[in-house]
Amino acid sequence: AQSVSQHNHHVILSEAASLELGCNYSYGGTVNLFWYVQYPGQHLQLLLKYFSGDPLVKGIKGFEAEFIKSKFSFNLRKPSVQWSDTAEYFCASTSYGNNRLAFGKGNQVVVIP
Amino acid sequence: EAGVVQSPRYKIIEKKQPVAFWCNPISGHNTLYWYLQNLGQGPELLIRYENEEAVDDSQLPKDRFSAERLKGVDSTLKIQPAELGDSAVYLCASSLENGKRTGELFFGEGSRLTVL
């Protein structure tokens, strides 16, 4: 079955530091990739997505992610984080012909002012 | 535009009792999902509806869980009887697939179940 792996479940960093969250998926064919974010007390919401084309995807709030097919990865990055980026971040994927969205375990990110 | 609405937000019950969760998706969204999220884990799909048809329910524990989406709009998820291990957050999501798989889901705030 399709699966998504996220590492470093808890991340603590200071404001203005750079953030990179790793995501690896298992399916070797055509995939759609997503990052969802859940801010404290709020619902899950889409941060960015990749279907095809430019492997560098830009999302909301200064986030970007890079699809590297050879590494089965879709890492999330932000050059300079803010306190308001404190949230849980989930990587997810669907595979071609299967609309089931598989989520990773998430990264709990805490940004210290 | 109103988002996905779920109720109740919190529910505490004793084991072996029944419980039901309700979800109203975004207007016009034909696809509705129920996900289960355990503490420290990502959401896991329980069931997906396209309109009123359950098209993916392979991960729904059918011995105690049931769901329905009458008229292809709002949906209920029921657990009877509840077990201690059912304590989790139950998420509802909806999407507008329109024949094109987007994978972009809109989630509700979830219903947190505690079974004592």
Side-chain angles (χ1 to χ4, degrees), chain A residues 36 43 49 51 90 100 104-105, chain B residues 42 56 58 102-105:
Chain A
Y36 280 80
H43 58 274
K49 61 185 177 183
F51 287 169
F90 293 93
R100 181 181 297 180
K105 291 185 177 182
Chain B
D56 185 352
S58 57
T102 67
E104 182 172 357
L105 276 58

Side-chain angles (χ1 to χ4, degrees), chain A residues 9 32 34 36 38 41-46 49 51 88 90 94 97-106, chain B residues 9 31 33 35 37 40-43 45 48 50 56 58-59 91 97 101-109:
Chain A
H9 186 64
N32 298 325
F34 309 83
Y36 280 80
Q38 187 168 23
Q42 297 187 26
H43 58 274
L44 270 167
Q45 56 188 286
L46 184 68
K49 61 185 177 183
F51 287 169
E88 191 153 20
F90 293 93
T94 58
N98 181 349
N99 201 39
R100 181 181 297 180
L101 191 62
F103 284 86
K105 291 185 177 182
Chain B
R9 289 290 312 281
T31 305
Y33 312 76
Y35 278 85
Q37 186 175 17
Q41 304 292 319
L45 181 69
R48 173 168 66 94
E50 288 190 7
D56 185 352
S58 57
Q59 299 191 121
L91 297 168
E97 297 298 330
R101 306 295 187 191
T102 67
E104 182 172 357
L105 276 58
F106 294 82
F107 285 85
E109 293 182 316

